[in-house]
Amino acid sequence: MKIITVSYRLPLSIKKTKGKAKITQSAGGLATAILSYSAKSNVNLTWVGIADFDSITWNENKDKYDQNFDIEPVFLEEELNQEFYNVFSNSVLWALFHYFPSFVEYTDDGFEAYKQANEIVAKKVSSIYEPGDVIWIHDYHFLGLPNLLREAHPDAKIGYFLHIPFPNFEIFRILPNKVKRYILEGILGSNVAGFHTWDNTIHFTECVEKILGIPHKNFLFSQESHRTKAGSFPISIDFDKFHNAYNNEEVINLRSEIKKLYGDKKIIFSVDRLDYTKGITNRLNAFEKFLEKYPEWSEKVVFLLVLVPSREEIKKYDERKKLIEHNVGHINGNMGNYKWTPIVYQYQSVSFEKLIALYTSADVALISPVRDGMNLVAKEFVASRKDLKGVLILSSMAGAAKDLKEAITINPFDAEMIAKKLCYALTMDEAEQALRLARMQRYLKKHDVFRWAEKFLTEVEEIHKNDTKAVPLKGKERDRVLQKFNEANKRLLLLDFDGTLVNLQSRPELAVPDEELLDTLNSLAEEPKNEVWIVSGRNKDFLEKWLGHLPIGIIAEHGGYVKNPEWKPVIIGEPEWKDQVIDIMQDYVDTNAESFIEVKEFGIAYHYRNVAEKQGFNTSRELLMLLKNHMYNTPTQIIDGNKVIEVKHFMAHKGTTCKNNVLRGEHDFVLAFGDDKTDEDLFELLTSENEFSVKVGKGNTAAKYRLETVEEVLVFLSELDYKSVLK
Ligand code: ADQ
């Protein structure tokens, strides 16, 4: 078994100058964390990514790096890579996912290249994949990859982690429909879909519900081949590495150099990739506002602005660079003088030691992204302050703001507010600085990048392990269940009605049992060893009318009523929210011809089976969200069923009602059949050796077996009946 990590960049770069190759191995936080996890779990690590070198260079140099893990480079044609990386990944996904819709430059060619690149990488991963391996896919370059790999290896353990924000529905919907589906279906190929925050996770689940119509239960999406758990996994840093670097000799020297250079002046510091999402122009505006508003700080403060070059070949980045440099010049020209340059600007990467020296020389770290998945700079600054000095000012738009609660938070668009907070931070007493930093360091020490990787990968294993796989009730499996039935003395049959015993019809009142079904049920129930129950969502009057004469028990309204032998409600009193639900649904009935409402005692259902497919689906998504908001804090449950949305009393529950009234532990054979979501509540209870459950139709299920159609259920029941009679 091994871990296969996939990311756009490899932790290895080979640059050739004048025929000589220079290998750079980057031991970034991600690589260190995954390596540490694989070492602990005693498994190998293979890294797949796009090569920034050609295959000849690779063949010449592949033995020359520190090989504590394997590297599998993917070589993409330059033109393809340009369309895949610069166009679709960075000029569509990056822009949109960071809420810059006006920066999006969508082209169909870009999307085609993106799909093609994902397919090429999928082939590469497939070529090294062995059953048992864990595949961990990173970031927005490979949104389609989890699904491509799921199709190739249905049983694979696949984790997907998005390092940038997942936008809300209103932003996400801007993408063409085919792209939206590709992305959502792509991510859903994984067993675990991880995001930095719960906000992002909820945006994703809402998009899946609204666009694909797949509902989730506790962030778990059930699909045909597997389940996908969406969740928040805030990434972190190697805390000890940053914390302990404070006393590194080179860092000490560099720090004293910096301190000497700026003397008594307070230092404001920031470091980022030059990117429009990092709020660098907002930061400059705010700094200018600060100098205007608090002239007493003139000549007493210096802003060290370090930017690392990034995506320079993209126009928007080049434009931003020019704008930043213009603003820096403008502020220095306007506010500075021959003795004092307010902003010291550097456009280049800095070494780790210099970075730590800068972090630990700063009085204030000013981090102001307008949108950021996490922002590691903020965490690195906090971790590196072993001296417990310095103040972190952090944009509330960064994921990191959710973890670093003792930071001074700002709205990057509010220059006035930032100016005020800068003033507060620069005059904060040392005791408060120490208290805030100590609290954040305690959090980061515990929640470091190693814990992050371990948590994520353990979750992938867990979700995969507990994935239920319903097997067809055929051949040997069928014989086994029949044999158990034969051997048993006290058998219990729990049968859903619609979609299980009768086919779904355009209106519920048309779905009625025929003579043959009634005969089979009657005959099964008359056998003394058998106990037969209908467990249905229908109202009690309907079930009484059609099945009341049979010697069987009946559960109606998803568990709201029990007949044994008299009808008794499980819930006392009439729910008071029903009229409100009817009012809401009525609007949808009025605008969607052929849709209708079914009123029950403990629930209201909106049926859209007869509405044109697309219209029915779209309006049902809208209604679902509306109901969720209206019914918040009421004792209800909302079911997104098969062409029906139902609001029901939470105690009208097939699982609980069966448990309290039927599953009394005296049966030595239990067999349940059902086709819809509410039946899953019952299936989840039937876990012991003599308990069997059968899902009718498609879809992931907690059931042990599967039959495809109502007709197959009826044949199986006849067989049980035949066996009962034989005995
Ligand atoms: P980035 O957008 O790159 O990452 P960030 O999380 O801040 O943003 O990480 C930047 C890293 O680069 C830090 O480790 C920092 O030290 C380093 N760095 C920045 N400027 C540098 C410079 N001039 N010289 C040297 N090093 C420099 C994406 C998402 C983030 C998310 C991360 C991790 O956009 O939101 O936090 O992935 O998931």
Side-chain angles (χ1 to χ4, degrees):
M1 183 205 144
K2 63 182 175 297
I3 298 172
I4 303 173
T5 301
V6 188
S7 66
Y8 180 79
R9 281 194 198 295
L10 283 168
L12 178 99
S13 160
I14 310 176
K15 289 269 171 318
K16 246 181 167 177
T17 33
K18 290 185 195 152
K20 243 190 129 194
K22 186 173 172 247
I23 302 180
T24 319
Q25 238 178 304
S26 62
L30 183 64
T32 321
I34 304 176
L35 204 58
S36 149
Y37 178 85
S38 59
K40 241 202 252 171
S41 343
N42 211 9
V43 294
N44 292 331
L45 171 62
T46 301
W47 206 296
V48 177
I50 310 300
D52 66 354
F53 40 84
D54 58 33
S55 56
I56 301 170
T57 311
W58 174 240
N59 285 329
E60 286 166 0
N61 292 283
K62 63 179 168 196
D63 302 325
K64 296 187 191 149
Y65 71 98
D66 180 13
Q67 292 176 340
N68 42 11
F69 56 88
D70 293 325
I71 288 199
E72 289 286 347
V74 175
F75 303 99
L76 292 184
E77 304 252 335
E78 209 174 308
E79 205 180 317
L80 175 69
N81 194 25
Q82 148 75 15
E83 288 283 322
F84 157 54
Y85 182 68
N86 284 341
V87 179
F88 193 77
S89 299
N90 286 329
S91 303
V92 178
L93 296 175
W94 177 272
L96 194 72
F97 281 33
H98 284 92
Y99 296 74
F100 279 80
S102 61
F103 281 29
V104 170
E105 290 172 23
Y106 176 83
T107 62
D108 275 338
D109 286 350
F111 180 49
E112 288 308 315
Y114 185 85
K115 286 197 296 183
Q116 206 185 328
N118 272 252
E119 275 157 29
I120 293 171
V121 174
K123 276 201 190 112
K124 174 59 129 189
V125 175
S126 286
S127 72
I128 55 170
Y129 172 80
E130 291 163 309
D133 290 352
V134 178
I135 306 169
W136 191 1
I137 300 159
H138 290 266
D139 231 354
Y140 59 102
H141 316 91
F142 298 120
L143 289 160
L145 192 54
N147 189 31
L148 293 171
L149 289 170
R150 175 68 57 206
E151 280 168 3
H153 314 283
D155 197 37
K157 298 174 204 165
I158 305 173
Y160 176 79
F161 186 79
L162 184 67
H163 289 256
I164 65 172
F166 195 94
N168 65 26
F169 174 70
E170 289 302 327
I171 288 286
F172 187 71
R173 70 189 300 190
I174 291 170
L175 289 168
N177 288 349
K178 62 180 176 187
V179 181
K180 287 197 281 249
R181 294 191 77 87
Y182 178 84
I183 292 174
L184 298 175
E185 284 167 0
I187 297 178
L188 283 181
S190 61
N191 298 97
V192 174
F195 304 88
H196 282 308
T197 65
W198 281 113
D199 286 349
N200 292 323
T201 314
I202 291 166
H203 292 162
F204 170 71
T205 54
E206 267 183 20
C207 287
V208 173
E209 281 195 319
K210 286 183 174 168
I211 295 161
L212 298 184
I214 306 177
H216 68 92
K217 193 172 166 189
N218 290 334
F219 294 96
L220 200 56
F221 292 96
S222 285
Q223 298 162 89
E224 197 65 21
S225 56
H226 68 289
R227 297 171 311 155
T228 306
K229 175 91 176 179
S232 166
F233 298 85
I235 200 171
S236 197
I237 54 165
D238 181 348
F239 178 85
D240 290 337
K241 181 179 165 195
F242 283 88
H243 199 59
N244 298 335
Y246 187 85
N247 294 324
N248 170 314
E249 212 178 301
E250 196 181 339
V251 171
I252 294 174
N253 291 339
L254 285 165
R255 187 164 50 233
S256 64
E257 219 175 74
I258 298 167
K259 293 263 190 196
K260 212 156 107 200
L261 193 63
Y262 296 109
D264 291 342
K265 289 190 186 62
K266 293 271 186 186
I267 298 173
I268 300 169
F269 174 63
S270 73
V271 59
D272 323 71
R273 275 187 312 100
L274 197 156
D275 196 295
Y276 52 81
T277 63
K278 299 292 181 186
I280 301 157
T281 44
N282 305 55
R283 200 177 308 167
L284 291 171
N285 292 343
F287 184 62
E288 186 177 19
K289 174 75 74 190
F290 163 76
L291 293 178
E292 280 167 8
K293 217 174 147 182
Y294 305 98
E296 64 273 25
W297 280 103
S298 181
E299 296 183 33
K300 296 198 179 99
V301 66
V302 62
F303 183 5
L304 306 186
L305 177 70
V306 180
L307 299 179
V308 61
S310 180
R311 304 174 196 168
E312 287 171 298
E313 49 303 325
I314 299 174
K315 204 168 94 221
K316 284 278 181 282
Y317 284 74
D318 190 47
E319 285 170 7
R320 187 59 47 155
K321 178 169 181 273
K322 291 200 175 94
L323 185 62
I324 290 167
E325 290 176 355
H326 172 271
N327 287 359
V328 168
H330 163 82
I331 296 170
N332 280 343
N334 266 10
M335 316 296 285
N337 56 46
Y338 72 98
K339 291 183 291 183
W340 174 56
T341 308
I343 302 170
V344 176
Y345 163 62
Q346 175 180 331
Y347 181 62
Q348 52 195 267
S349 190
V350 289
S351 67
F352 175 73
E353 287 73 21
K354 199 170 243 164
L355 185 68
I356 302 296
L358 286 162
Y359 280 150
T360 53
S361 303
D363 295 285
V364 173
L366 178 56
I367 302 171
S368 58
V370 291
R371 195 69 59 171
D372 214 336
M374 176 51 67
N375 193 295
L376 294 179
V377 169
K379 292 190 171 181
E380 291 169 4
F381 169 73
V382 170
S384 63
R385 295 314 297 246
K386 204 171 192 163
D387 57 345
L388 292 179
K389 286 188 181 139
V391 181
L392 172 63
I393 298 185
L394 177 61
S395 162
S396 56
M397 311 286 179
K402 304 241 182 269
D403 294 346
L404 302 173
K405 292 276 169 25
E406 298 289 335
I408 295 186
T409 48
I410 48 160
N411 174 349
F413 297 97
D414 188 345
E416 187 94 18
M417 172 209 232
I418 301 174
K420 234 194 238 166
K421 300 236 173 154
L422 260 176
C423 197
Y424 177 66
L426 287 166
T427 51
M428 186 186 284
D429 67 56
E430 288 198 352
E432 186 179 344
Q433 293 178 28
L435 183 71
R436 286 175 183 262
L437 282 167
R439 285 183 178 162
M440 292 191 281
Q441 286 182 3
R442 202 179 315 138
Y443 172 84
L444 288 177
K445 190 167 170 52
K446 189 169 164 198
H447 298 264
D448 63 9
V449 74
F450 301 102
R451 181 180 163 126
W452 170 78
E454 184 164 343
K455 234 179 128 188
F456 185 91
L457 290 166
T458 312
E459 184 79 342
V460 174
E461 293 281 359
E462 277 296 301
I463 295 293
H464 181 269
K465 193 174 80 195
N466 297 327
D467 224 4
T468 45
K469 298 261 186 295
V471 294
L473 190 56
K474 292 202 171 114
K476 273 193 191 146
E477 291 297 337
R478 183 188 170 98
D479 294 345
R480 196 170 83 83
V481 176
L482 289 173
Q483 192 189 337
K484 286 269 183 190
F485 178 83
N486 269 345
E487 289 164 6
N489 288 313
K490 209 156 177 15
R491 308 152 177 156
L492 175 64
L493 296 179
L494 300 165
L495 309 168
D496 170 47
F497 184 71
D498 291 280
T500 300
L501 297 181
V502 295
N503 277 307
L504 298 171
Q505 301 291 337
S506 57
R507 294 191 68 95
E509 60 270 23
L510 301 176
V512 295
D514 60 16
E515 277 309 312
E516 202 182 331
L517 171 61
L518 291 172
D519 280 352
T520 309
L521 291 175
N522 190 46
S523 166
L524 275 167
E526 279 191 333
E527 157 62 43
K529 284 185 181 178
N530 298 345
E531 184 177 339
V532 179
W533 281 78
I534 297 293
V535 186
S536 169
R538 286 292 186 102
N539 69 41
K540 74 177 196 323
D541 295 341
F542 174 90
L543 294 169
E544 181 59 34
K545 178 177 168 194
W546 290 96
L547 304 166
H549 60 287
L550 300 174
I552 58 173
I554 306 180
I555 289 174
E557 294 220 16
H558 303 298
Y561 263 105
V562 180
K563 183 189 181 195
N564 187 25
E566 299 304 321
W567 281 105
K568 277 203 192 107
V570 166
I571 301 145
I572 308 298
E574 176 90 349
E576 67 260 15
W577 41 262
K578 277 172 61 180
D579 287 343
Q580 190 193 355
V581 174
I582 294 172
D583 275 355
I584 297 166
M585 288 181 174
Q586 191 57 49
D587 277 350
Y588 285 80
V589 170
D590 293 345
T591 48
N592 289 276
E594 302 298 327
S595 67
F596 60 92
I597 296 174
E598 185 188 0
V599 179
K600 306 180 193 179
E601 216 167 309
F602 302 116
I604 316 285
Y606 168 81
H607 293 263
Y608 60 96
R609 179 165 305 279
N610 308 324
V611 181
E613 177 91 19
K614 203 165 165 204
Q615 181 191 335
F617 175 73
N618 286 342
T619 41
S620 73
R621 298 308 88 191
E622 208 181 292
L623 174 61
L624 192 63
M625 292 300 150
L626 192 59
L627 286 169
K628 277 188 185 176
N629 283 297
H630 270 288
M631 304 324 286
Y632 181 70
N633 257 347
T634 59
T636 56
Q637 197 187 8
I638 302 170
I639 311 281
D640 183 13
N642 186 350
K643 303 277 165 71
V644 55
I645 289 180
E646 183 161 356
V647 181
K648 67 177 183 66
H649 195 291
F650 80 104
M651 276 173 67
H653 188 275
K654 286 186 179 177
T656 312
T657 302
C658 282
K659 197 164 150 190
N660 294 340
N661 296 277
V662 194
L663 293 162
R664 296 175 298 266
E666 61 199 27
H667 303 99
D668 54 359
F669 177 90
V670 179
L671 176 57
F673 289 84
D675 72 314
D676 213 343
K677 308 232 161 44
T678 53
D679 300 307
E680 296 296 318
D681 296 331
L682 175 55
F683 297 160
E684 280 165 14
L685 296 177
L686 305 178
T687 50
S688 81
E689 209 197 331
N690 289 331
E691 293 174 336
F692 303 91
S693 45
V694 184
K695 158 94 181 172
V696 185
K698 299 207 181 313
N700 197 285
T701 175
K704 294 176 183 170
Y705 295 101
R706 187 188 303 278
L707 285 175
E708 294 302 333
T709 61
V710 167
E711 288 67 33
E712 285 180 13
V713 176
L714 299 181
V715 170
F716 193 82
L717 287 180
S718 310
E719 182 117 7
L720 292 182
D721 181 31
Y722 176 68
K723 291 245 177 313
S724 305
V725 176
L726 275 188
K727 276 266 147 175

